[in-house]
Amino acid sequence: MLLPSGVAPTPAELDAFLTAQNGRPAAELVAELAAELDKRNGELAEADEFLGAPAADGAIGEALFVSSPYDAIGHVRGLLFELATPRGYAVYDPQLAWLMDPAGAVPVSVSHGGAGEFPYLTCELAHLWVPELGAPGPYLIAERGDQVYIQTYRHEDGRYDVEYRDGSADLHYSVRVDDPSTVADLIWSWAIDDRSNFEALDWQRLTFQ
């Protein structure tokens, strides 16, 4: 689902926003986004189509509901980020109950072990994702460039390994953390280039044999 950035920071506000859209004709931008999705889907062979129903059918007011087969969710979500994020639209995944709002976002490449790839990170997403990490992919990676990243892995006992790398093996450090909120704070601090809270932890340089 697409909705304008900032209109629904809480579930209650999301419900109220969507209720207000019922019966309204599609806004111009929403109609354009739906048309582009339908165009791209129509250019594919039937077996490769990624929409479960025409996107235009899900356009109401300033919201756009997008239906897709389960195995195409990652592809569709990537398209929504590509088309809608530059236009100030947030992406909501009702299955996961995740609202991915670009307001205040930092453009880093994020790999979520259980949900795929994302083009940005926010403080809210870091604190949403880290506590929920679990099998089969209990990790999160935020990457800014070649060999410049921070990542975490959640163990079955609830503890986290956090690593960051600043461009080479000589600048690769690790620490074990028990609190998911601390892990999320570290990842967000790294993303915004503020490592003042790193100093309180006993980072160890990793060596590779």
Side-chain angles (χ1 to χ4, degrees):
M1 180 192 307
L2 295 178
L3 63 158
S5 172
V7 299
T10 68
E13 288 170 294
L14 175 61
D15 288 343
F17 169 78
L18 294 177
T19 299
Q21 305 311 302
N22 283 333
R24 294 179 55 191
E28 181 178 355
L29 177 55
V30 169
E32 290 176 2
L33 291 169
E36 180 63 22
L37 288 169
D38 285 335
K39 173 178 174 293
R40 296 195 186 192
N41 189 64
E43 293 171 344
L44 301 175
E46 184 176 351
D48 298 325
E49 291 180 352
F50 55 81
L51 294 179
D57 292 351
I60 57 169
E62 293 184 284
L64 177 61
F65 294 82
V66 182
S67 170
S68 73
Y70 183 80
D71 60 1
I73 289 175
H75 175 72
V76 170
R77 188 168 55 207
L79 278 178
L80 297 183
F81 283 125
E82 174 193 337
L83 298 173
T85 299
R87 294 171 167 86
Y89 261 65
V91 177
Y92 178 68
D93 186 328
Q95 288 189 315
L96 298 172
W98 288 357
L99 178 62
M100 292 157 281
D101 194 319
V106 175
V108 294
S109 298
V110 180
S111 297
H112 186 297
E117 309 298 315
F118 301 85
Y120 58 73
L121 184 68
T122 65
C123 184
E124 292 79 9
L125 287 175
H127 282 271
L128 173 67
W129 285 336
V130 168
E132 295 182 352
L133 293 177
Y139 65 85
L140 187 76
I141 305 169
E143 186 174 7
R144 183 173 288 116
D146 186 31
Q147 298 194 61
V148 179
Y149 58 82
I150 190 168
Q151 62 185 18
T152 189
Y153 181 93
R154 186 184 187 192
H155 294 273
E156 291 184 0
D157 63 5
R159 294 185 298 169
Y160 296 79
D161 286 333
V162 182
E163 300 177 16
Y164 73 90
R165 187 177 179 112
D166 279 340
S168 70
D170 292 338
L171 298 171
H172 193 140
Y173 299 90
S174 176
V175 70
R176 180 67 60 89
V177 180
D178 294 329
D179 176 42
S181 182
T182 299
V183 176
D185 284 339
L186 290 170
I187 293 172
W188 178 241
S189 295
W190 177 91
I192 61 174
D193 289 322
D194 176 9
R195 301 189 188 182
S196 56
N197 59 349
F198 281 38
E199 299 173 0
L201 299 177
D202 185 23
W203 296 91
Q204 300 295 314
R205 189 169 72 84
L206 286 181
T207 57
F208 298 89
Q209 303 297 326

